[in-house]
Coordinates of all heavy atoms in Angstrom, one line a residue:
A22 N -0.2 1.5 -11.7 CA 0.9 2.6 -11.4 C 1.1 2.6 -9.8 O 2.3 2.8 -9.4 CB 0.3 3.9 -11.9
D23 N 0.2 2.4 -9.0 CA 0.4 2.4 -7.6 C 1.1 1.2 -7.0 O 1.7 1.3 -5.9 CB -1.0 2.5 -6.9 CG -1.8 1.4 -7.1 OD1 -1.8 0.8 -8.2 OD2 -2.6 1.0 -6.2
R24 N 1.4 0.2 -7.9 CA 2.3 -1.0 -7.5 C 3.3 -1.1 -8.3 O 4.0 -2.2 -8.3 CB 1.3 -2.2 -7.6 CG 0.2 -2.2 -6.6 CD -0.8 -3.4 -6.6 NE -1.3 -3.7 -7.9 CZ -2.5 -3.2 -8.4 NH1 -3.1 -2.3 -7.8 NH2 -2.8 -3.6 -9.5
A25 N 3.8 -0.1 -9.1 CA 5.0 -0.2 -10.0 C 6.3 -0.5 -9.3 O 7.2 -1.0 -9.9 CB 5.1 1.2 -10.8
D26 N 6.4 -0.2 -7.9 CA 7.6 -0.4 -7.3 C 7.8 -1.9 -7.0 O 9.0 -2.3 -6.7 CB 7.5 0.3 -5.9 CG 6.3 -0.1 -5.0 OD1 5.4 -0.6 -5.5 OD2 6.5 0.1 -3.8
R27 N 6.9 -2.7 -7.3 CA 7.0 -4.1 -7.1 C 8.0 -4.7 -8.2 O 8.7 -5.7 -7.9 CB 5.8 -4.9 -7.2 CG 4.8 -4.6 -6.1 CD 3.7 -5.4 -6.0 NE 2.8 -5.0 -4.9 CZ 1.5 -5.4 -4.7 NH1 1.1 -6.5 -5.4 NH2 0.8 -5.1 -3.6
V28 N 8.2 -4.0 -9.3 CA 9.1 -4.5 -10.3 C 10.5 -4.4 -9.8 O 11.4 -5.2 -10.0 CB 9.0 -3.6 -11.6 CG1 10.0 -3.9 -12.5 CG2 7.7 -3.8 -12.2
T29 N 10.7 -3.4 -9.0 CA 12.1 -3.3 -8.2 C 12.3 -4.6 -7.4 O 13.6 -5.0 -7.5 CB 12.2 -2.0 -7.3 OG1 11.9 -0.9 -8.2 CG2 13.5 -1.9 -6.6
G30 N 11.3 -5.0 -6.8 CA 11.6 -6.2 -5.9 C 11.9 -7.4 -6.8 O 12.8 -8.2 -6.5
W31 N 11.2 -7.5 -8.0 CA 11.7 -8.6 -8.9 C 13.1 -8.6 -9.3 O 13.7 -9.5 -9.3 CB 10.7 -8.6 -10.0 CG 9.4 -9.4 -9.8 CD1 8.2 -8.8 -9.4 CD2 9.3 -10.8 -10.0 NE1 7.3 -9.8 -9.4 CE2 7.9 -11.1 -9.7 CE3 10.0 -11.8 -10.3 CZ2 7.3 -12.3 -9.7 CZ3 9.4 -13.1 -10.4 CH2 8.2 -13.4 -10.0
R32 N 13.4 -7.3 -9.7 CA 14.8 -7.1 -10.2 C 15.8 -7.5 -9.1 O 16.9 -8.2 -9.3 CB 15.0 -5.7 -10.6 CG 16.3 -5.5 -11.3 CD 16.4 -4.1 -11.9 NE 16.0 -3.0 -10.9 CZ 16.5 -2.6 -9.9 NH1 17.7 -3.0 -9.6 NH2 15.9 -1.7 -9.2
V33 N 15.6 -7.0 -7.9 CA 16.6 -7.2 -6.8 C 16.7 -8.8 -6.4 O 17.7 -9.3 -6.3 CB 16.2 -6.4 -5.5 CG1 16.9 -6.9 -4.4 CG2 16.3 -5.0 -5.7
G34 N 15.5 -9.3 -6.5 CA 15.5 -10.7 -6.2 C 16.3 -11.6 -7.3 O 16.9 -12.5 -6.9
L35 N 16.1 -11.3 -8.5 CA 16.7 -12.0 -9.6 C 18.3 -11.6 -9.5 O 19.0 -12.6 -9.8 CB 16.1 -11.4 -11.0 CG 14.7 -12.0 -11.2 CD1 14.2 -11.3 -12.4 CD2 14.8 -13.5 -11.4
E36 N 18.7 -10.4 -9.1 CA 20.1 -10.2 -9.0 C 20.8 -11.0 -8.1 O 21.9 -11.5 -8.2 CB 20.3 -8.7 -8.6 CG 20.0 -7.8 -9.8 CD 19.9 -6.2 -9.5 OE1 20.1 -6.0 -8.2 OE2 19.9 -5.5 -10.4
K37 N 20.1 -11.4 -7.0 CA 20.6 -12.3 -5.8 C 20.8 -13.6 -6.4 O 21.5 -14.5 -5.9 CB 19.7 -12.3 -4.7 CG 19.5 -11.0 -3.9 CD 18.7 -11.1 -2.8 CE 18.7 -9.8 -2.0 NZ 17.8 -9.8 -0.9
L38 N 20.1 -14.2 -7.4 CA 20.3 -15.4 -7.9 C 21.6 -15.6 -8.7 O 22.1 -16.7 -9.0 CB 19.2 -15.8 -8.9 CG 17.8 -16.0 -8.4 CD1 16.8 -16.3 -9.6 CD2 17.9 -17.2 -7.4
G39 N 22.2 -14.6 -9.2 CA 23.5 -14.6 -9.8 C 23.5 -15.1 -11.2 O 24.4 -15.8 -11.6
R40 N 22.5 -15.0 -12.0 CA 22.4 -15.4 -13.3 C 21.9 -14.4 -14.2 O 21.2 -13.5 -13.7 CB 21.6 -16.7 -13.4 CG 20.2 -16.5 -13.2 CD 19.3 -17.9 -13.2 NE 19.4 -18.5 -14.5 CZ 18.9 -19.6 -14.6 NH1 18.4 -20.4 -13.7 NH2 19.0 -20.2 -15.9
G41 N 22.0 -14.4 -15.5 CA 21.5 -13.4 -16.5 C 20.0 -13.4 -16.4 O 19.3 -14.6 -16.4
F42 N 19.5 -12.3 -16.4 CA 18.0 -12.2 -16.7 C 17.6 -11.0 -17.3 O 18.4 -10.0 -17.5 CB 17.4 -12.2 -15.3 CG 17.7 -10.9 -14.4 CD1 16.8 -9.9 -14.5 CD2 18.8 -10.9 -13.6 CE1 17.2 -8.8 -13.7 CE2 19.1 -9.9 -12.8 CZ 18.2 -8.8 -13.0
E43 N 16.3 -10.9 -17.7 CA 15.8 -9.7 -18.3 C 14.4 -9.7 -17.7 O 13.7 -10.6 -17.5 CB 15.8 -9.5 -19.8 CG 14.8 -10.5 -20.4 CD 14.6 -10.3 -22.0 OE1 14.7 -9.1 -22.4 OE2 14.3 -11.2 -22.7
I44 N 13.8 -8.5 -17.4 CA 12.4 -8.3 -17.1 C 11.7 -7.6 -18.2 O 12.1 -6.6 -18.7 CB 12.3 -7.5 -15.6 CG1 13.0 -8.3 -14.7 CG2 10.7 -7.2 -15.5 CD1 13.1 -7.5 -13.3
L45 N 10.6 -8.2 -18.6 CA 9.7 -7.7 -19.7 C 8.4 -7.3 -19.0 O 7.7 -8.4 -18.6 CB 9.5 -8.7 -20.7 CG 8.5 -8.3 -21.9 CD1 8.9 -6.9 -22.5 CD2 8.4 -9.5 -22.9
V46 N 8.0 -6.1 -19.0 CA 6.6 -5.7 -18.4 C 5.7 -5.5 -19.6 O 6.0 -4.8 -20.5 CB 6.8 -4.5 -17.6 CG1 5.4 -4.0 -17.1 CG2 7.6 -4.7 -16.3
V47 N 4.6 -6.3 -19.6 CA 3.7 -6.1 -20.7 C 2.4 -5.3 -20.0 O 1.7 -5.8 -19.2 CB 3.2 -7.5 -21.1 CG1 2.1 -7.2 -22.4 CG2 4.3 -8.3 -21.8
D48 N 2.3 -4.0 -20.5 CA 1.1 -3.2 -20.1 C 0.0 -3.4 -20.9 O 0.1 -3.2 -22.3 CB 1.7 -1.8 -20.1 CG 0.5 -0.9 -19.6 OD1 0.2 -1.0 -18.4 OD2 -0.1 -0.3 -20.4
D49 N -1.1 -3.8 -20.5 CA -2.3 -4.2 -21.3 C -3.3 -3.0 -21.4 O -4.4 -3.0 -20.8 CB -3.0 -5.4 -20.7 CG -4.1 -6.0 -21.7 OD1 -3.8 -6.0 -22.9 OD2 -5.1 -6.4 -21.2
G50 N -2.8 -1.9 -22.0 CA -3.6 -0.8 -22.3 C -4.0 0.0 -21.0 O -5.1 0.5 -21.0
S51 N -3.1 0.1 -20.1 CA -3.3 0.9 -18.9 C -3.7 2.4 -19.2 O -3.1 3.0 -20.2 CB -2.2 0.9 -18.0 OG -2.1 -0.3 -17.4
T52 N -4.5 2.9 -18.5 CA -5.0 4.3 -18.6 C -4.5 5.3 -17.5 O -4.7 6.5 -17.4 CB -6.4 4.6 -18.8 OG1 -7.0 4.0 -17.7 CG2 -7.0 3.9 -20.0
D53 N -3.6 4.7 -16.5 CA -3.2 5.5 -15.4 C -1.7 5.8 -15.5 O -1.1 6.1 -14.4 CB -3.5 4.7 -14.1 CG -2.7 3.3 -14.0 OD1 -2.2 3.0 -15.0 OD2 -2.8 2.8 -12.9
G54 N -1.1 5.6 -16.6 CA 0.4 5.8 -16.6 C 1.3 4.7 -16.2 O 2.5 5.0 -15.9
T55 N 0.8 3.6 -16.0 CA 1.6 2.4 -15.5 C 2.9 2.3 -16.3 O 4.0 2.2 -15.6 CB 0.9 1.1 -15.5 OG1 -0.3 1.3 -14.5 CG2 1.6 -0.1 -15.0
A56 N 2.8 2.0 -17.6 CA 4.0 1.8 -18.4 C 4.9 3.0 -18.3 O 6.1 2.7 -18.2 CB 3.6 1.6 -19.8
D57 N 4.6 4.2 -18.3 CA 5.5 5.3 -18.2 C 6.2 5.3 -16.9 O 7.3 5.5 -16.7 CB 4.7 6.7 -18.4 CG 4.2 6.8 -19.9 OD1 4.8 6.2 -20.8 OD2 3.2 7.4 -20.1
R58 N 5.4 5.1 -15.9 CA 6.1 5.1 -14.5 C 7.2 4.0 -14.3 O 8.2 4.2 -13.8 CB 4.9 4.9 -13.5 CG 5.5 5.0 -12.1 CD 4.4 5.2 -11.1 NE 4.9 5.2 -9.7 CZ 4.2 5.3 -8.6 NH1 2.9 5.4 -8.8 NH2 4.7 5.4 -7.4
I59 N 6.8 2.9 -15.0 CA 7.7 1.7 -14.7 C 9.0 1.9 -15.6 O 10.1 1.8 -15.0 CB 7.1 0.3 -15.1 CG1 6.0 -0.1 -14.1 CG2 8.3 -0.7 -15.3 CD1 5.2 -1.3 -14.5
A60 N 8.8 2.4 -16.7 CA 9.9 2.8 -17.8 C 10.7 3.8 -17.1 O 12.1 3.8 -17.2 CB 9.3 3.2 -19.1

Side-chain angles (χ1 to χ4, degrees):
D23 60 330
R24 295 182 303 277
D26 59 339
R27 293 184 182 179
V28 175
T29 301
W31 274 96
R32 186 177 43 74
V33 170
L35 289 167
E36 287 171 352
K37 289 180 182 179
L38 291 177
R40 67 184 297 171
F42 68 91
E43 72 170 335
I44 296 177
L45 172 61
V46 174
V47 180
D48 180 74
D49 193 39
S51 293
T52 57
D53 68 349
T55 297
D57 292 333
R58 184 167 179 182
I59 291 171

